[in-house]
Amino acid sequence: MRISARADYAVRAVLELAVRQGGDPVKAETVAAAQDIPHKFLEGILGDLRRAGVVESRRGGGGGYRLARDAASITVADVIRAVDGPIVSVRGERPTGLSYTGSAQPLLPLWIALRANVRRILEGVTVADIAADALPDPVKELAAEPAAWENP
C-alpha cells in the first residue's frame, strides 16, 4: 500500500485542526505553515475534506477551517478516503470487483485480506488518538516490532 502525499498532508492538516479545536476557525495559511504543506495544494485538500464532511469552513475575516465533528469520531480511514478514495485498490478497482481465473484465483482472497488488515488499522485509529499521542495498543504493538522498521 502506498500513502500518497495528498493523504499524508490531509491527515496532518486534520490533526492540526484537532489540536487547535475549540478556538476560532484556523486559516489554511496557518495549517500550511505549521505542517510545512504547500498552501495551494492544501486548499484543494481542504476542499475535498469539506465535501466529505470532515471539516467545515467559514468565509471572511474571522473565517477558516475547523473539524466538522469531534476528533474522536474521525478515523484516519475517513480522512484518506476523503482525498484519495478507496483505501486499497488493485489497478484502480476495489478488490471485490475483481475476478481471476486459473492459477491467479488465490490472488483475490489475498487482496481482500490485505484490504481488511489495512482497514482494521486505519479505521481503528482516530484523529483524537493521534492528537493525544495515544495510539491503540494493537497499533503500538505492530509498530514496536523491529521488522516493521526495516525496508526489505
Side-chain angles (χ1 to χ4, degrees):
M1 178 183 169
R2 182 180 163 274
I3 303 294
S4 69
R6 188 172 184 78
D8 178 56
Y9 289 164
V11 172
R12 289 167 43 198
V14 169
L15 181 59
E16 190 66 30
L17 294 176
V19 299
R20 295 170 181 261
Q21 197 72 355
D24 293 330
V26 182
K27 298 208 177 297
E29 297 85 8
T30 303
V31 174
Q35 290 297 320
D36 196 26
I37 300 171
H39 178 257
K40 284 294 186 190
F41 197 35
L42 179 61
E43 286 286 352
I45 291 168
L46 289 169
D48 287 344
L49 292 168
R50 185 182 48 75
R51 284 185 288 281
V54 175
V55 303
E56 57 188 21
S57 63
R58 187 177 352 156
R59 295 181 183 256
Y65 294 88
R66 63 172 23 132
L67 297 181
R69 54 189 198 268
D70 187 69
S73 71
I74 302 170
T75 68
V76 174
D78 294 334
V79 177
I80 293 173
R81 285 185 185 113
V83 298
D84 276 353
I87 291 180
V88 174
S89 65
V90 179
R91 302 184 323 263
E93 293 183 49
R94 293 173 189 237
T96 53
L98 301 172
S99 65
Y100 294 100
T101 60
S103 61
Q105 280 183 324
L107 281 177
L108 186 55
L110 174 65
W111 299 151
I112 297 293
L114 173 68
R115 179 178 77 160
N117 207 24
V118 170
R119 285 170 59 175
R120 182 178 298 135
I121 298 291
L122 298 180
E123 291 174 351
V125 178
T126 69
V127 173
D129 294 333
I130 301 168
D133 192 14
L135 293 174
D137 287 338
V139 175
K140 287 182 194 175
E141 290 166 12
L142 283 171
E145 293 178 12
W149 295 86
E150 295 175 11
N151 293 322

